[in-house]
Amino acid sequence: MTFELSLLATPKSVPDLRGRLHAHSHDVRLCLSELLTNVIDHLGEGTPVTVRVTGMSYGRTRIEVTDPAPRTLPAPLQAATTAESGRGLALLDALAERWGVEQGVDRKTVWCEVAESSGHRIKKTPRSP
């Protein structure tokens, strides 16, 4: 089953979208919120996006947010302890089994895959230094 919606990325759209996905796990909704918030913060309020949430056959849900800025790539930040922002991609990395970016000529899609059953995450393979 796939949920797809084109919308303008605004602060109001984040909780509205989470509400539409109430049947999904908290982790799915949180990752989607972070991806959409990154568009608002780095491309600007009102940026047109397409959101896709797809159930996969192996117990994961794929979340995709496509925007019209192929050259503005997400970059994890090292947020200061007192900073009020800068932790979105770190949170995404902690919750998602994997994530990445697909670039097109006139768009990019930031995606992640999240285990749908809360509390039963698949163990990640450690990254090489």
Side-chain angles (χ1 to χ4, degrees):
M1 180 177 118
T2 298
F3 169 86
E4 184 170 326
L5 181 65
S6 293
L7 61 120
L8 298 178
T10 64
K12 183 184 179 317
S13 66
V14 177
D16 289 348
L17 195 52
R18 275 195 312 257
R20 288 177 177 237
L21 297 171
H22 65 276
H24 288 278
S25 72
H26 178 266
D27 289 355
V28 167
R29 290 176 290 157
L30 183 55
C31 286
L32 179 57
S33 296
E34 290 302 327
L35 291 176
L36 191 54
T37 299
N38 274 350
V39 172
I40 297 165
D41 289 348
H42 299 288
L43 298 180
E45 189 173 328
T47 300
V49 297
T50 300
V51 173
R52 274 177 239 66
V53 179
T54 307
M56 304 175 85
S57 61
Y58 45 90
R60 292 184 187 170
T61 298
R62 184 176 172 104
I63 304 155
E64 301 176 354
V65 176
T66 301
D67 67 55
R71 290 178 184 80
T72 305
L73 300 176
L77 301 174
Q78 188 71 23
T81 307
T82 57
E84 292 184 17
S85 63
R87 294 179 184 82
L89 289 178
L91 180 61
L92 183 76
D93 191 54
L95 294 176
E97 300 302 321
R98 60 190 200 128
W99 69 276
V101 180
E102 295 171 0
Q103 287 179 277
V105 174
D106 60 349
R107 64 178 160 49
K108 77 165 169 306
T109 299
V110 182
W111 60 270
C112 67
E113 292 179 6
V114 177
E116 188 62 60
S117 56
S118 347
H120 295 89
R121 293 196 182 103
I122 300 165
K123 183 153 177 86
K124 286 186 184 182
T125 306
R127 293 188 179 158
S128 307

